[in-house]
Amino acid sequence: MSSCCEAPSAQARRIAPRVLRVVWLTALLLLAQTQLGWAGEPSHGIAMHGRPLHAPEMAHFPYVNPQAPKGGRISLGAVGTFDSLNPFIIKGNAPPGLRGYVYESLMARALDEPFSLYGLLAERIEVPEDRSSITFHLRAAARFSDGRPVTADDVLFSLDVLRQKGWPFHRSYYKKVVKAEKLSARAVRFVFADGSDREMPLIMGLMPVLPSHLLTNDSFALTTLKPPVGSGPYLVDGEKLIPGRSITYRRNPEYWGRDLAVNKGRYNFAEIRYEYFRDSSSLFEAFKTGAVDLRDEDDPSRWAEGYAFPAAADGRIKRRTFSIALPSGMTGLVMNTRRAAFKDQRVRRAFVLLFDFEWINRSLFHGAYARTRSYFDRSELSSHGRPADAEERRLLAPYLAEVKPEILAGVHRFPVSDGSGRDRRNVKAAFDLLVAAGYRLDGTRLVHGGTRQPLSIEMLADTRSKERLFASFAVALRRVGIEVRIRQVDSAQYWSRLKAFDFDMVQWTWGASLSPGNEQIGRWSSQVADTPGALNYAGVRSKGVDAMIEALLAARDRPAFVSAVRAFDRLLLSGDYVVPLYHLPKQMVAHWSHLAAPAGSTLYGYDFDTWWSERR
């Protein structure tokens, strides 16, 4: 008789139930870990793909000067106005700075990595390998500016109100949290439906944390000009606040996080002031007088010719260029496909053909710009000039009808003109597309053969520089019979109309990182195409685009991620949703000489939060 068939001994009979109980409890524990996300070692940081670059013992980021002197002031300029100090809701216009200076996140982003986070309000995290959850352990020292500790209740409150009443992208992100659990006064766990969106742990790490002892669900949703309470390094100086004209941030001397490694060498100014101006010309004049200390120059013509004044000539103003490793993003003339004029892709393609980049770049910008050929130009994420790889073709297989063959093959080129402003080849090709879309010339007007309605659009601008670009483009459009109205409105009206998608064409820039993720939902997905306040200004509704966003969020390694982003890029380019414009190869920055910067650089170019003033 084999041993397997022998009767168990008395000792074995006594041991067996205990062994079974241990096995049963172990199985239950493993099941709980899988369902609740308990697995995962404590960590100081997290990377979107791979491991964080910096060790737990990091003293400071390498791109800062940890001995940077504290003090001094910096004055910055902005165009437009503001009427609220609540940056988390659609209603009202909030000034820059509130989100980073007053309100903090659970984790801080490193600027020398594509997408990695390190502990800020949270000192450590726990994330299972499948990324189905994340647990945050808050620092005992974390405090709001009124002295109250930051607790798990604040984190859960923030999730709740942002998910209910925040911006559309807040609602889109945070609805993926299927369970939010308070583990202790300083520990909270977020559980996701599954691990298909591997960015969600990082998204939660960047969630702003609001003071639950001062806000309610109702008060959160109101505009206000009352200086807010946050946990960040600065306070809004209520005595210097001039609604619509200027806001001043004063460094909090009691800031709880000033000695953290992620903050060393940062937030060096005692005071940061934003002054608002009616237009960019007024802002530049203020910079020339010293009323504004630093400007990020985006006008090559001004860079080439506009600095012939004494302060720039004698060295009191310095001009510098910074390399940047991020994708260029897409600056383009957005065609609102919700409007009848742009529902037909042939019309949109005709507009792309009629834009004479070579002439505009030479005539308006001294030839300083490079043509933008991808939503992720200037990076490995761009599909331009690259044939689709096997993974891209697998992802795109169900959606090939949405992809132009030449874009799939990597041989697509945007039209190139002779630079005269009257390139007949591109004009003829555009006119043929308009005829195919049903339009005919009626005298000098282009009208639809069926409806007899003219092809007429309004270009909406909020700055003179946009108005100037529109005027140049309008010349080519009117030449083929398209009626064009250019309307410049004030900042408040402009933002109100954008939020309501009340426009035909606007100029817009979607920035890009080396790790695009959930923000693409708010820009391009079908689910937000009709959501006021979303950034899907073109009104894109594409099953392929939606699927590629899901694919890039689910990618488990960098090669798969790059393929998913390139496939996504091909679909956006194929849709002709914008007239792609241009980008600068480097950042151009002018500043008064009392400002100094660290020697280290970042993937994002310059970061003035690491600068300091040598004037006291």
Side-chain angles (χ1 to χ4, degrees), residues 369-445:
Y369 279 117
R371 184 73 189 268
T372 299
R373 305 160 299 178
S374 159
Y375 286 77
F376 304 96
D377 211 337
R378 202 173 58 193
S379 78
E380 67 170 343
L381 302 176
S382 170
S383 66
H384 178 77
R386 296 182 171 106
D389 60 28
E391 175 63 8
E392 289 180 74
R393 290 181 180 275
R394 183 189 71 79
L395 292 170
L396 291 169
Y399 313 103
L400 286 179
E402 295 186 39
V403 188
K404 294 179 181 178
E406 63 271 24
I407 290 179
L408 189 69
V411 297
H412 171 262
R413 296 291 182 271
F414 284 107
V416 177
S417 76
D418 58 13
S420 67
R422 293 178 173 273
D423 192 296
R424 293 181 178 275
R425 295 168 302 169
N426 293 336
V427 172
K428 182 180 185 306
F431 188 79
D432 290 345
L433 282 170
L434 294 169
V435 169
Y439 287 94
R440 300 288 185 272
L441 275 176
D442 181 5
T444 59
R445 296 193 314 162

Side-chain angles (χ1 to χ4, degrees), residues 146-218:
D146 62 1
R148 292 283 291 267
V150 180
T151 68
D153 291 329
D154 298 308
V155 177
L156 295 176
F157 170 79
S158 302
L159 170 68
D160 186 51
V161 295
L162 290 167
R163 184 162 51 183
Q164 289 183 45
K165 300 181 178 182
W167 282 88
F169 68 86
H170 288 139
R171 291 174 242 157
S172 173
Y173 294 171
Y174 303 141
K175 73 179 182 182
K176 297 183 180 182
V177 178
V178 297
K179 185 177 182 180
E181 183 180 9
K182 177 181 176 181
L183 304 181
S184 71
R186 296 203 308 269
V188 61
R189 176 185 297 121
F190 298 117
V191 181
F192 315 119
D194 53 49
S196 63
D197 183 346
R198 295 182 61 79
E199 190 185 30
M200 276 309 298
L202 290 89
I203 291 294
M204 301 314 297
L206 291 176
M207 184 183 74
V209 178
L210 313 174
S212 61
H213 63 284
L214 294 177
L215 295 171
T216 66
N217 281 21
D218 292 334

Side-chain angles (χ1 to χ4, degrees), residues 37-351:
W38 287 357
E41 294 296 322
S43 176
H44 69 298
I46 183 174
M48 182 63 195
H49 299 107
R51 295 181 178 276
L53 174 65
H54 303 297
E57 300 78 21
M58 174 185 70
H60 57 81
F61 286 126
Y63 50 81
V64 307
N65 173 10
Q67 281 80 45
K70 302 290 186 181
R73 293 167 174 78
I74 184 171
S75 180
L76 303 170
V79 174
T81 187
F82 70 93
D83 57 11
S84 174
L85 299 183
N86 185 348
F88 302 114
I89 59 174
I90 296 175
K91 188 177 180 181
N93 295 315
L98 288 167
R99 178 60 183 84
Y101 296 143
V102 176
Y103 296 103
E104 288 184 308
S105 302
L106 293 159
M107 307 188 78
R109 189 165 190 161
L111 301 184
D112 57 348
E113 301 174 70
F115 193 8
S116 292
L117 304 180
Y118 297 86
L120 183 55
L121 287 171
E123 63 181 340
R124 69 182 189 278
I125 60 172
E126 294 162 18
V127 183
E129 192 280 332
D130 66 358
R131 296 201 173 185
S132 59
S133 71
I134 184 169
T135 300
F136 294 97
H137 297 272
L138 301 177
R139 297 182 192 271
R143 293 285 187 278
F144 290 107
S145 59
D146 62 1
R148 292 283 291 267
V150 180
T151 68
D153 291 329
D154 298 308
V155 177
L156 295 176
F157 170 79
S158 302
L159 170 68
D160 186 51
V161 295
L162 290 167
R163 184 162 51 183
Q164 289 183 45
K165 300 181 178 182
W167 282 88
F169 68 86
H170 288 139
R171 291 174 242 157
S172 173
Y173 294 171
Y174 303 141
K175 73 179 182 182
K176 297 183 180 182
V177 178
V178 297
K179 185 177 182 180
E181 183 180 9
K182 177 181 176 181
L183 304 181
S184 71
R186 296 203 308 269
V188 61
R189 176 185 297 121
F190 298 117
V191 181
F192 315 119
D194 53 49
S196 63
D197 183 346
R198 295 182 61 79
E199 190 185 30
M200 276 309 298
L202 290 89
I203 291 294
M204 301 314 297
L206 291 176
M207 184 183 74
V209 178
L210 313 174
S212 61
H213 63 284
L214 294 177
L215 295 171
T216 66
N217 281 21
D218 292 334
S219 65
F220 165 81
L222 301 176
T223 60
T224 179
L225 288 170
K226 180 181 178 181
V229 171
S231 63
Y234 287 88
L235 308 169
V236 173
D237 191 329
E239 294 182 357
K240 296 183 178 180
L241 178 69
I242 306 176
R245 291 180 52 190
S246 71
I247 182 171
T248 299
Y249 298 98
R250 175 170 43 85
R251 194 173 62 233
N252 183 2
E254 304 299 323
Y255 174 48
W256 71 273
R258 58 184 175 273
D259 295 324
L260 295 180
V262 294
N263 288 333
K264 286 285 184 68
R266 306 185 71 221
Y267 310 126
N268 302 312
F269 298 106
E271 188 176 284
I272 300 173
R273 181 181 180 89
Y274 281 92
E275 290 280 355
Y276 275 80
F277 298 88
R278 184 174 181 177
D279 53 46
S280 58
S281 297
S282 300
L283 194 161
F284 185 62
E285 291 303 314
F287 172 70
K288 289 164 65 174
T289 67
V292 172
D293 293 311
L294 179 147
R295 59 178 286 109
D296 193 344
E297 186 61 76
D298 61 356
D299 186 337
S301 296
R302 183 182 288 127
W303 189 257
E305 299 177 341
Y307 285 81
F309 54 90
D314 62 23
R316 285 177 291 159
I317 284 179
K318 296 182 178 181
R319 291 195 294 164
R320 306 171 65 177
T321 58
F322 292 86
S323 296
I324 183 168
L326 294 183
S328 66
M330 174 58 74
T331 296
L333 304 182
V334 186
M335 293 172 278
N336 187 353
T337 61
R338 304 171 188 86
R339 298 295 177 95
F342 291 126
K343 286 186 180 295
D344 193 317
Q345 186 175 351
R346 291 168 294 189
V347 174
R348 303 199 300 272
R349 180 61 185 167
F351 273 66

Side-chain angles (χ1 to χ4, degrees), residues 382-574:
S382 170
S383 66
H384 178 77
R386 296 182 171 106
D389 60 28
E391 175 63 8
E392 289 180 74
R393 290 181 180 275
R394 183 189 71 79
L395 292 170
L396 291 169
Y399 313 103
L400 286 179
E402 295 186 39
V403 188
K404 294 179 181 178
E406 63 271 24
I407 290 179
L408 189 69
V411 297
H412 171 262
R413 296 291 182 271
F414 284 107
V416 177
S417 76
D418 58 13
S420 67
R422 293 178 173 273
D423 192 296
R424 293 181 178 275
R425 295 168 302 169
N426 293 336
V427 172
K428 182 180 185 306
F431 188 79
D432 290 345
L433 282 170
L434 294 169
V435 169
Y439 287 94
R440 300 288 185 272
L441 275 176
D442 181 5
T444 59
R445 296 193 314 162
L446 200 63
V447 300
H448 195 275
T451 65
R452 304 302 297 170
Q453 292 296 313
L455 181 51
S456 174
I457 68 163
E458 179 183 82
M459 297 175 167
L460 186 67
D462 64 334
T463 66
R464 290 180 183 175
S465 61
K466 291 179 183 178
E467 185 180 33
R468 181 176 64 161
L469 175 63
F470 282 149
S472 298
F473 187 30
V475 173
L477 298 177
R478 289 170 178 145
R479 190 173 293 135
V480 297
I482 299 172
E483 294 183 355
V484 181
R485 301 180 308 281
I486 301 172
R487 185 175 182 188
Q488 183 176 347
V489 297
D490 61 37
S491 177
Q493 185 177 356
Y494 182 78
W495 286 107
S496 176
R497 291 185 61 176
L498 249 63
K499 291 173 184 177
F501 308 128
D502 181 18
F503 62 87
D504 295 330
M505 175 177 278
V506 294
Q507 181 181 337
W508 185 256
T509 297
W510 291 277
S513 74
L514 290 168
S515 186
N518 273 275
E519 76 282 353
Q520 305 303 322
I521 296 173
R523 298 176 177 186
W524 306 110
S525 73
S526 303
Q527 64 181 276
V528 302
D530 294 316
T531 303
L535 301 183
N536 188 349
Y537 292 130
V540 176
R541 295 175 179 84
S542 160
K543 292 181 179 180
V545 167
D546 293 342
M548 291 313 106
I549 294 175
E550 291 181 5
L552 67 89
L553 291 174
R556 299 178 70 88
D557 55 45
R558 187 71 183 177
F561 176 76
V562 171
S563 293
V565 176
R566 288 180 184 171
F568 175 55
D569 187 38
R570 295 182 201 277
L571 283 163
L572 291 178
L573 291 170
S574 294

